[in-house]
Amino acid sequence: VFVYNTGRSWESTRQVMRDLQHIPMMTPKAVIASVGTQVWWITEKKGDITASKDMEWERSLSEAGLWDRNLVNELVQPFIDKEWAHLRPAEEQNNWKLVMGVKAAHVDAIIYSVDSKLKAQGKKATLIASGHGEWNYLDIVCCGAGKLEALLHVRNKLKFTATQTVACGDSGNDILMLSGQERGIVVGNSQEGLLQWVRRQTDVSDDGSQRLVHTQARHARGIVEGLRKMSFLPSL
């Protein structure tokens, strides 16, 4: 069973799938979108793909009671005014996530400020930095959401255990997803933020003997390399 777990919105993911439909690829059973704030179940019939939103997941986010989107908007505005940050386009935002472009030099300061001020008002969010270069991404998401939390929801729905599940990543926003009990693949083209995290882990190897595998190959070839080393695919 194949599932996308992406920072992209469902609309953006769907467009990528359409753009790449000339390449033979598995159709995902589900798409975890917008850094784990949305789950979409995918159905394919005669080449047509339809998606239905998982409203059980949506309800679970609203029940947490610690998310205040308006307060988050207020807390990030001073950094936008200083031109340390800017809001990403509207199609990348949703009720459970605010995403900004942030100057790399100010990422830590913004995270500390927003997190501490939310807690001071009895609210909570998960702040996830990713990207590289002068500008990074900063996702501020409902504390009940996230790539790992949504992964757990989906694999429980599909009745897969942790040892039957492999998460694959290349970005800083994959760190939490790779921090669970599931097996994990970190591909060769991974961003430095993720690689720094990998170097601090004790359960990572390049031969498949540990929970996490760091591959030499890049992109999809890295995933295939990792699956082979984990014996999910036959060796060449």
Side-chain angles (χ1 to χ4, degrees), residues 52 59 66 82 84 106 111 118 123 127 183 209 223:
S52 58
R59 286 191 296 271
L66 295 174
K82 290 180 181 179
W84 289 9
H106 301 302
I111 289 175
L118 283 171
K123 300 298 180 180
L127 291 90
R183 304 296 303 275
S209 61
I223 296 174

Side-chain angles (χ1 to χ4, degrees), residues 4 7 37 45-46 50 64 96 103 106 119 122 130 144 153 185 192 200 209 212 217 219 229:
Y4 287 141
T37 58
K45 183 179 290 187
K46 296 182 179 179
T50 58
W96 311 107
K103 286 186 176 179
H106 301 302
K119 289 177 180 176
S130 61
H153 174 77
I185 297 171
E192 183 58 28
R200 297 193 297 268
S209 61
L212 297 172
H219 305 292
K229 288 180 174 178

Side-chain angles (χ1 to χ4, degrees), residues 66-84:
L66 295 174
W67 174 248
D68 188 330
R69 184 65 155 72
N70 291 331
L71 177 58
V72 171
N73 287 341
E74 293 175 13
L75 294 178
V76 302
Q77 189 59 50
F79 303 111
I80 295 172
D81 293 341
K82 290 180 181 179
E83 298 186 351
W84 289 9

Side-chain angles (χ1 to χ4, degrees), residues 2-197:
F2 180 46
V3 175
Y4 287 141
N5 197 342
T6 176
R8 291 176 178 268
S9 66
W10 160 241
E11 292 76 14
S12 175
T13 303
R14 177 173 56 185
Q15 187 58 52
V16 171
M17 292 169 65
R18 288 171 174 165
D19 292 344
L20 298 178
Q21 62 185 354
H22 61 285
I23 301 173
M25 291 194 303
M26 293 174 61
T27 299
K29 181 72 174 178
V31 172
I32 299 169
S34 297
V35 200
T37 58
Q38 295 181 344
V39 174
W40 296 82
W41 295 95
I42 308 302
T43 303
E44 182 179 27
K45 183 179 290 187
K46 296 182 179 179
D48 292 328
I49 292 176
T50 58
S52 58
K53 196 174 189 180
D54 189 325
M55 298 310 299
E56 179 184 345
W57 178 245
E58 189 94 351
R59 286 191 296 271
S60 75
L61 299 183
S62 63
E63 289 167 0
L66 295 174
W67 174 248
D68 188 330
R69 184 65 155 72
N70 291 331
L71 177 58
V72 171
N73 287 341
E74 293 175 13
L75 294 178
V76 302
Q77 189 59 50
F79 303 111
I80 295 172
D81 293 341
K82 290 180 181 179
E83 298 186 351
W84 289 9
H86 59 264
L87 291 174
R88 296 286 301 168
E91 59 267 23
E92 297 183 23
Q93 317 289 342
N94 65 43
N95 290 338
W96 311 107
K97 181 189 78 160
L98 181 146
V99 56
M100 299 190 296
V102 177
K103 286 186 176 179
H106 301 302
V107 169
D108 291 343
I110 294 174
I111 289 175
Y112 177 81
S113 176
V114 173
D115 185 53
S116 59
K117 289 177 180 178
L118 283 171
K119 289 177 180 176
Q121 299 197 41
K123 300 298 180 180
K124 191 175 179 182
T126 302
L127 291 90
I128 306 164
S130 61
H132 54 88
E134 182 182 357
W135 287 88
N136 289 185
Y137 294 103
L138 180 61
D139 291 289
I140 305 175
V141 304
C142 169
C143 63
K147 284 188 172 185
L148 176 59
E149 291 82 355
L151 182 155
L152 293 172
H153 174 77
V154 168
R155 78 166 174 82
N156 285 334
K157 284 263 193 177
L158 296 174
K159 302 187 184 305
F160 280 81
T161 67
T163 56
Q164 294 171 321
T165 305
V166 182
C168 309
D170 65 358
S171 169
N173 69 17
D174 294 319
I175 290 174
L176 294 178
M177 176 185 72
L178 293 165
S179 300
Q181 298 179 338
E182 296 78 14
R183 304 296 303 275
I185 297 171
V186 178
V187 293
N189 59 290
S190 294
Q191 296 174 2
E192 183 58 28
L194 177 56
L195 294 177
Q196 289 178 4
W197 176 82

